[in-house]
Amino acid sequence: MMHAIVARQPGGPEVLELAETGRPAPGPGQLLVRVAAAGVNFIDTYKRSGVYKVHYPFTPGAEAAGTVEEVGEGVTGFAPGDRVATAEGIDCYAGYALVDEDKALPVPDGLDDFTAAALPLQGMTAHYLINSTFKVEAGHTVLLHAGAGGVGLLLIQLLKAKGAQVITTVSTQEKEQLAREAGADHVLRYEGFPARVRELTDGTGADVVYDGVGKDTFDGSLESLRIRGTLVLFGGASGPVPPFNPQRLNAGGSLYLTRPTMAHYLRDATERRWRSGEVFAAAADGSLKVRIGARYPLAEAAKAHDDLEQRRTTGKVLLVP
Ligand code: NDP
């Protein structure tokens, strides 16, 4: 038996309940992983609330790190005792979770279990956003929202390592401090940010905007771009962006708009190993700092969701079974 978080219907954080369930058995090509920590991500809240459809009873969680307990038929690359992490695990808010072998990432020795659980989803996201969705180069001016969040703090550091100028938005003084420590050149509040970005770029605008806030920032993000700039809308922490008239891209300066999702940038094991390998190596050698802003016992998953949705968290949020 094991403990797992279960929701029986969509709703607020209170639908997340601790339950005792059977331990899953690994099918062909799968690993059974003893979860040391599971990552909490904004997408888990979209699935819990019903913004994204799921089947019930529903156990959230795609991200975890831990130790291989058992392997299914045909698994060749992992054995019991190996340390692994994943951004694409099955029902990870639990004591044990299944991971398909090709979605399991080996954890280097220099990385502890909590850091390994904190990095896969937000780390590989930050990696694909700046290397593949839009290729950031030295000298680019980048605006990114929610700079003290999980994706945000990683993005700031990876962008600075590329030599970009980084402007970010945050809502509080504490978050401003964290964004500055991560290396942001300019930290703004949301109020009036497009005008501030114009000022900071001598009227030109940003080369690219990374917007995971969505509804509340979308219009301002478009206004902050230079001619032929790119808006990368990668989430909707404030809610989904309403329908959009493409004519606005013309008026804004022949702009580009894309709405990427992680699965399309992790097409196979090679792409996963490339992205996770670079991010894990940077964390292991200390060049990428991973802030774990909060850790909750598994039983407090509802509180973790509430804190994330109410903007009370910074960096990564973890659940410990
Ligand atoms: P964060 O830790 O960044 O938390 C969200 C932050 O958004 C808050 O802390 C808050 O920072 C800011 N925010 C602004 N307005 C609101 C609002 N109305 N309600 C709640 N938060 C608000 O979360 P993650 O790092 O997990 O994710 C960031 C975004 O990236 C999310 O939209 C998520 O869906 C997206 N994402 C997309 C992926 C993809 O592949 N497309 C993959 C991973 C994440 P502040 O208080 O400073 O404003």
Side-chain angles (χ1 to χ4, degrees):
M1 296 299 280
M2 66 171 191
H3 282 116
I5 294 296
V6 176
R8 296 175 203 286
Q9 80 249 8
E14 70 285 351
V15 300
L16 300 177
E17 288 171 16
L18 189 70
E20 202 163 60
T21 65
R23 202 193 276 190
Q30 287 187 322
L31 316 176
L32 177 69
V33 175
R34 181 157 33 91
V35 175
V40 177
N41 291 285
F42 232 91
I43 191 166
D44 305 340
T45 70
Y46 306 147
K47 289 184 176 173
R48 185 215 70 223
S49 67
V51 172
Y52 290 177
K53 301 285 163 244
V54 296
H55 294 289
Y56 298 96
F58 168 63
T59 294
E63 183 175 53
T67 308
V68 176
E69 181 86 6
E70 247 180 81
V71 297
E73 201 187 306
V75 169
T76 55
F78 293 93
D82 287 349
R83 295 174 67 229
V84 293
T86 186
E88 301 156 287
I90 300 165
D91 303 351
C92 293
Y93 286 15
Y96 292 82
L98 297 175
V99 182
D100 294 335
E101 182 179 12
D102 64 342
K103 294 175 178 158
L105 312 166
V107 176
D109 287 342
L111 227 55
D112 64 82
D113 284 342
F114 289 140
T115 310
L119 264 180
L121 201 146
Q122 294 170 340
M124 289 197 286
T125 297
H127 187 282
Y128 87 69
L129 288 174
I130 66 172
N131 289 294
S132 306
T133 306
F134 179 96
K135 206 165 164 33
V136 175
E137 289 167 5
H140 277 148
T141 298
V142 179
L143 169 65
L144 84 95
H145 293 301
V151 177
L153 284 174
L154 298 174
L155 262 180
I156 292 173
Q157 297 174 72
L158 296 174
L159 286 165
K160 286 312 295 175
K162 282 185 176 293
Q165 151 145 277
V166 179
I167 307 172
T168 190
T169 51
V170 296
S171 65
T172 68
Q173 184 58 38
E174 185 213 354
K175 291 182 179 188
E176 173 169 347
Q177 184 63 26
L178 290 171
R180 281 195 199 288
E181 282 164 15
D185 297 285
H186 302 282
V187 185
L188 314 178
R189 297 303 154 89
Y190 293 92
E191 180 77 41
F193 73 82
R196 284 290 291 136
V197 172
R198 281 288 148 204
E199 268 168 42
L200 291 168
T201 55
D202 295 327
T204 308
D207 294 282
V208 57
V209 178
Y210 290 107
D211 188 342
V213 170
K215 184 166 70 66
D216 290 354
T217 45
F218 182 79
D219 291 341
S221 293
L222 278 180
E223 279 173 52
S224 301
L225 284 165
R226 67 177 299 157
I227 287 176
R228 301 196 324 234
T230 298
L231 173 51
V232 180
L233 175 68
F234 68 99
S238 67
V241 173
F244 168 81
N245 178 356
Q247 223 18 59
R248 290 177 63 193
L249 298 175
N250 158 0
S254 300
L255 304 175
Y256 296 84
L257 169 65
T258 181
R259 179 33 175 117
T261 198
M262 188 179 68
H264 300 141
Y265 288 87
L266 299 180
R267 297 297 301 278
D268 52 30
T270 310
E271 195 166 28
R272 270 182 210 106
R273 293 287 175 101
W274 166 48
R275 299 195 194 285
S276 62
E278 289 197 2
V279 174
F280 284 3
D285 75 19
S287 55
L288 179 66
K289 303 266 184 287
V290 181
R291 177 182 167 84
I292 296 167
R295 255 189 250 169
Y296 305 80
L298 182 64
E300 292 180 21
K303 176 158 172 39
H305 272 217
D306 193 41
D307 286 349
L308 183 64
E309 291 179 294
Q310 299 306 320
R311 305 165 83 160
R312 287 190 291 260
T313 65
T314 58
K316 186 70 203 180
V317 177
L318 292 180
L319 293 176
V320 182

